[in-house]
Amino acid sequence: MRFVRFERAGRIALGLADVDERGRLRRVLDLAAARARWGGPEVPADMVAWIALGEQAVAAAREWWQRAQAAGDDAALPGGEGADGREPAARPLWHPADAVRLLAPIARPPKDVMAIGLNYRDHVFEISGRDIPRYPVVFSKAASSIAGPGDPIYTHPGVTEAVDYEGELAVVIGRRGRAIPPERAREHVFGYMVLNDVTARDLQRRTSQWHLGKSLDTFCPTGPYLVHRDAVGWPVELDVRTWVNGELRQEANTRQLIFDIPALIATLSAGITLEPGDIIATGTPGGVGMGFDPPRLLRPGDVVEIEITGLGRLRNPVVDRLPA
């Protein structure tokens, strides 16, 4: 299942994406409308609240998806009340792709995004020349930096002159836990999504702490989908590719991670309670702009696209000014 958060006519809601064979959106199943027709747990507009409902929410979504596929129509439900007599039911089950705007699947995680640096060997060599890390290099990105599919990446003129891209797999936590052993890690995963760890290289290198260079507004595009773990194998072995203006810059597979997902979850949860909706960015492979000689950093007018097997393609334009 591909969960989405979407906006239509000023309303923000949760849905399931129906995609074609290339992963492109065809239509969205409105989960609140499905619940109104068939009953089940209430559907919030916030993905973190939905994830926190646990397995009952996943089971309900799976049942609604199957029923909606079988229904085979896009008509609105009959007027009046929903299945439990409380919720208006005059809302279509399906919204066509051109009628919705996909948003970041998770607008505000419980914590800042927990990110891993230097987690592919080729990236270690291109960006730092260091030895391979003995332990995961952990930093954070401010939750306020999160953006969605199609949203602009703002270059922040006067603040930075070195904006770079980093295509990454993001893991979203589904079950609360602390001191999670690697062999239990998958039980605590809700799903996966594409993430761009946009970085101001000059700010990143100004001090030993990376937070500022990683956390400027719009510097964490995510989406387009949050794909449930059941649709992804274990161990997670997915191709990660990044294009800038149609040119392939990054290409790797998550099996090349120095510290894999079980190790990352075990490390982060050793003394930190992981909560539903927490985001872990697992690191970027080689091919970032700073790794070229001379560097090939982002400029206004560029378009960055990141695709991960089965998770969709995240596309964001680069701009030097934001809409008023």
Side-chain angles (χ1 to χ4, degrees):
M1 291 185 292
R2 296 172 174 87
F3 289 91
V4 295
R5 196 170 63 94
F6 68 94
E7 185 270 334
R8 180 176 184 180
R11 168 180 168 258
I12 295 176
L14 301 185
L16 287 174
D18 185 18
V19 303
D20 64 18
E21 64 280 356
R22 296 180 62 184
R24 295 175 299 192
L25 183 68
R26 291 192 294 208
R27 57 182 181 168
V28 171
L29 172 63
D30 189 320
L31 291 182
R35 187 255 181 187
R37 174 173 286 194
W38 294 300
E42 292 191 22
V43 181
D46 176 65
M47 190 71 75
V48 173
W50 174 254
I51 293 171
L53 292 176
E55 290 303 315
Q56 66 159 333
V58 174
R62 186 176 291 111
E63 178 183 351
W64 296 335
W65 174 260
Q66 293 168 350
R67 289 191 175 202
Q69 292 281 2
D73 65 70
D74 296 334
L77 299 175
E81 300 298 318
D84 62 359
R86 293 182 296 173
E87 189 170 346
R91 184 179 296 156
L93 280 175
W94 296 101
H95 304 294
D98 60 3
V100 302
R101 181 171 72 96
L102 296 186
L103 307 173
I106 296 176
R108 283 297 180 101
K111 305 175 182 60
D112 284 350
V113 175
M114 295 172 284
I116 309 301
L118 306 175
N119 203 22
Y120 287 82
R121 293 174 186 274
D122 53 356
H123 182 57
V124 172
F125 298 143
E126 74 173 353
I127 205 70
S128 70
R130 302 180 186 177
D131 294 331
I132 300 300
R134 294 179 58 196
Y135 306 100
V137 177
V138 182
F139 61 93
S140 64
K141 293 176 73 75
S144 57
S145 68
I146 290 175
D151 289 345
I153 297 169
Y154 179 42
T155 58
H156 294 270
V159 177
T160 175
E161 297 179 352
V163 179
D164 206 350
Y165 55 87
E166 294 191 3
E168 306 195 11
L169 171 70
V171 178
V172 176
I173 296 299
R175 197 169 94 186
R176 191 174 188 271
R178 183 165 57 85
I180 301 167
E183 61 271 17
R184 304 294 296 273
R186 186 176 184 274
E187 301 171 21
H188 292 265
V189 173
F190 180 84
Y192 308 91
M193 60 185 180
V194 184
L195 181 147
N196 188 351
D197 177 17
V198 182
T199 305
R201 296 297 184 196
D202 44 2
L203 300 184
Q204 180 189 21
R205 293 184 165 185
R206 189 173 292 172
T207 69
S208 60
Q209 300 297 317
W210 297 355
H211 183 78
L212 183 59
K214 297 284 190 175
S215 294
L216 302 185
D217 292 349
T218 75
F219 271 28
C220 192
T222 59
Y225 318 124
L226 171 53
V227 179
H228 189 259
R229 70 174 188 235
D230 286 352
V232 178
W234 189 265
V236 178
E237 297 183 348
L238 303 176
D239 293 329
V240 180
R241 297 184 178 92
T242 302
W243 294 263
V244 178
N245 303 328
E247 177 190 7
L248 182 63
R249 297 278 188 88
Q250 294 182 288
E251 186 171 21
N253 188 285
T254 56
R255 64 175 169 267
Q256 298 169 274
L257 289 169
I258 297 169
F259 302 102
D260 63 12
I261 292 168
L264 296 179
I265 289 175
T267 297
L268 291 167
S269 71
I272 300 172
T273 299
L274 300 184
E275 302 169 281
D278 278 340
I279 299 172
I280 303 170
T282 59
T284 198
V288 300
M290 185 58 73
F292 289 90
D293 185 15
R296 304 176 68 182
L297 300 168
L298 296 178
R299 295 288 181 260
D302 289 344
V303 175
V304 183
E305 296 177 279
I306 304 167
E307 184 175 80
I308 299 180
T309 311
L311 306 188
R313 183 177 289 219
L314 176 65
R315 183 181 188 275
N316 299 93
V318 180
V319 303
D320 60 0
R321 64 182 65 188
L322 292 174

